Amino acid sequence: MSTPPLASGPEATDALRPLLATVLDALDAGRTARGGPLPAGGPGAVAARLGAAVGDVLPEHGDPQALPTLVRALAEGSADPAHPRCAAHLHCPPLAVATAADLAVSALNPSLDSWDQAPAASALEALVTRALARLAGLTDALVTTGGTESNQLALLLARESLGPGVRLLCGANAHHSLARATWLLGLPGPVVVPAPAGTLDPAALDAALTTVPGPHLVAATAGTTDAGLIDPLPDIAAVCAAHGARLHIDAAYGGGLLFSDRHRPRLAGLDAAHTVTLDLHKLGWQPVAAGLLAVRDPADLTALNQHADYLNADDDTEAGLPDLLGRSLRTTRRPDVLKIAVTLRTLGRRGLGALVDQVCDHAHAFAALVRDHPGLELHAPPTISTVLFRPTGATDTAVAEIRRRLLTDGHAVLGRARLDGRLWLKTTLLNPHTRPHDLAALLTTVAS
């Protein structure tokens, strides 16, 4: 058996080109076989089909058809975020240009734990993170795997700044990763502040800050997972300032509004935060992963500094080699920043803003269809691109069964959210290519 070719080096281009054609053909074949937004039959049927395609995972002798076979099987068994009836989660269809850029990262395989493994990537990351931090009104940012890691980092920086007794106060609408981060970091459990209208109540926050011993970290949300709601950020920032509380804003969903001239004002008050979570594999159309944590004071990041002589020896740092270990809790990490940089440069702020405007418009159009349908009930007008609705008069059990039936039949991928004491179907519209007839077809699929 000959030695298999590598993805980089002098022979890489000739080796990769036919393989890319093979992958693209297999993706087409799998999508055609699937025939809808997700595979039909439910978990058991999908696992059985995949198992039959894979066969022996580690055979005694290799199979030259493994690449097309497995890619086709994966595509056939995947939920396709680009399908207009795949609208459950904050799971975007990635841009082709970003996906192509990601291929370059996989081929070159830099690792951002030392400069000598990623000379250009480390310089690019510094440029892009600072530019995106400035867009949010802050100073610097770290690249993360997404909102969960960013929220965990925000709590870690707060603990290192304020001490291990820091108390997290967050709304009942906050993302579950914040409570998990308190557990992970050995902090007291969060103080949950009422969010009666789905957003954090500033008066209730003021009362909690008055009675709960400090020091305090307040976490607000700009784009809730359930409904895309945005907390009243200026009022919350004012309450935090009055109590001397540190403020973190989880804008993993809503942060993409920064690109849009029309929707950016919804994030007024974001620049008052000490830290902000951003996530461009939501309203940024990036392949996973593409998260950031932006910080107001770069000095906060010194808490992450670590020393390993083989990666950042003091004499190397003094000689001018950048020290990258303090830019993440991870050691080995790929330069996810390349796909972000390519997207920013290719589309520009206005191009990305136009995509944001499109999906927000889609949400309003879909909400209007629901509102005008005699058999459906709309929860509320959308804030970003999420719409909650349910069949009029249906029980929560019936709503849940409708969603599972659509999943099992492979007809549609809808989410679920519990608000106001009731269960709602959730559509999260992130595909800018969706057209009015697609929205009507999605509604028909649910209402039939």
Side-chain angles (χ1 to χ4, degrees), residues 245-268:
R246 184 180 174 99
L247 175 60
H248 170 64
I249 298 177
D250 177 1
Y253 182 9
L257 301 180
L258 290 168
F259 297 117
S260 166
D261 289 335
R262 190 200 314 172
H263 295 287
R264 182 187 176 96
R266 294 176 180 270
L267 296 181

Side-chain angles (χ1 to χ4, degrees), residues 159-235:
R159 186 191 71 180
E160 296 306 294
S161 174
L162 301 177
V166 62
R167 296 302 305 272
L168 171 66
L169 293 87
C170 60
N173 61 339
H175 194 264
H176 64 85
S177 60
L178 289 164
R180 178 175 283 188
T182 62
W183 163 77
L184 181 69
L185 296 169
L187 297 174
V191 176
V192 178
V193 180
T199 56
L200 178 58
D201 180 1
L205 174 63
D206 181 68
L209 287 169
T210 301
T211 57
V212 174
H216 304 117
L217 169 66
V218 172
T221 306
T224 60
T225 302
D226 277 346
L229 302 179
I230 298 174
D231 288 340
L233 304 180
D235 294 341

Side-chain angles (χ1 to χ4, degrees), residues 104-408:
V105 167
S106 293
L108 294 168
N109 209 28
S111 179
L112 280 158
D113 51 321
S114 65
W115 181 87
D116 57 353
Q117 298 176 81
S122 60
L124 182 64
E125 184 174 89
L127 292 171
V128 173
T129 51
R130 287 166 191 160
L132 289 172
R134 288 194 298 270
L135 183 68
L138 302 181
T139 305
D140 198 0
L142 303 179
V143 175
T144 70
T145 54
T148 294
E149 184 186 350
S150 293
N151 285 343
Q152 290 172 351
L153 267 175
L155 264 68
L156 173 64
L157 297 182
R159 186 191 71 180
E160 296 306 294
S161 174
L162 301 177
V166 62
R167 296 302 305 272
L168 171 66
L169 293 87
C170 60
N173 61 339
H175 194 264
H176 64 85
S177 60
L178 289 164
R180 178 175 283 188
T182 62
W183 163 77
L184 181 69
L185 296 169
L187 297 174
V191 176
V192 178
V193 180
T199 56
L200 178 58
D201 180 1
L205 174 63
D206 181 68
L209 287 169
T210 301
T211 57
V212 174
H216 304 117
L217 169 66
V218 172
T221 306
T224 60
T225 302
D226 277 346
L229 302 179
I230 298 174
D231 288 340
L233 304 180
D235 294 341
I236 291 170
V239 171
C240 289
H243 288 271
R246 184 180 174 99
L247 175 60
H248 170 64
I249 298 177
D250 177 1
Y253 182 9
L257 301 180
L258 290 168
F259 297 117
S260 166
D261 289 335
R262 190 200 314 172
H263 295 287
R264 182 187 176 96
R266 294 176 180 270
L267 296 181
L270 194 73
D271 57 354
H274 294 78
T275 51
V276 172
T277 287
L278 302 170
D279 194 344
L280 297 181
H281 58 248
K282 294 180 173 61
L283 279 183
W285 295 278
Q286 298 300 292
V288 174
L292 297 106
L293 178 71
V295 298
R296 181 201 297 175
D297 184 357
D300 280 351
L301 300 180
T302 59
L304 301 179
N305 288 346
Q306 289 290 315
H307 180 265
D309 194 67
Y310 76 106
L311 294 174
N312 60 346
D314 290 341
D315 56 325
D316 277 350
T317 303
E318 291 166 4
L321 295 181
D323 179 355
L324 304 183
L325 276 187
R327 302 295 299 178
S328 178
L329 289 178
R330 292 170 285 152
T331 304
T332 300
R333 59 187 182 92
R334 70 198 307 268
D336 289 312
V337 74
L338 176 64
K339 63 196 175 194
I340 298 172
V342 168
T343 301
L344 298 178
R345 286 278 294 166
T346 301
L347 275 70
R349 186 185 64 81
R350 290 188 180 276
L352 279 165
L355 298 183
V356 171
D357 292 346
Q358 283 176 274
V359 296
C360 290
D361 288 346
H362 294 337
H364 283 279
F366 187 73
L369 291 175
V370 172
R371 188 174 56 245
D372 294 341
H373 194 288
L376 297 173
E377 177 184 354
L378 178 68
H379 177 266
T383 300
I384 305 178
S385 68
T386 299
V387 180
L388 302 183
F389 67 105
R390 54 183 280 142
T392 303
T395 64
D396 286 356
T397 299
V399 171
E401 289 174 348
I402 289 171
R403 174 179 174 271
R404 288 192 291 269
R405 172 177 55 79
L406 293 171
L407 289 174
T408 301

Side-chain angles (χ1 to χ4, degrees), residues 76-126:
E76 181 181 353
S78 291
D80 181 4
H83 195 288
R85 296 199 306 275
C86 187
H89 302 288
L90 287 163
H91 176 202
C92 73
L95 293 165
V97 70
T99 304
D102 222 23
L103 170 64
V105 167
S106 293
L108 294 168
N109 209 28
S111 179
L112 280 158
D113 51 321
S114 65
W115 181 87
D116 57 353
Q117 298 176 81
S122 60
L124 182 64
E125 184 174 89

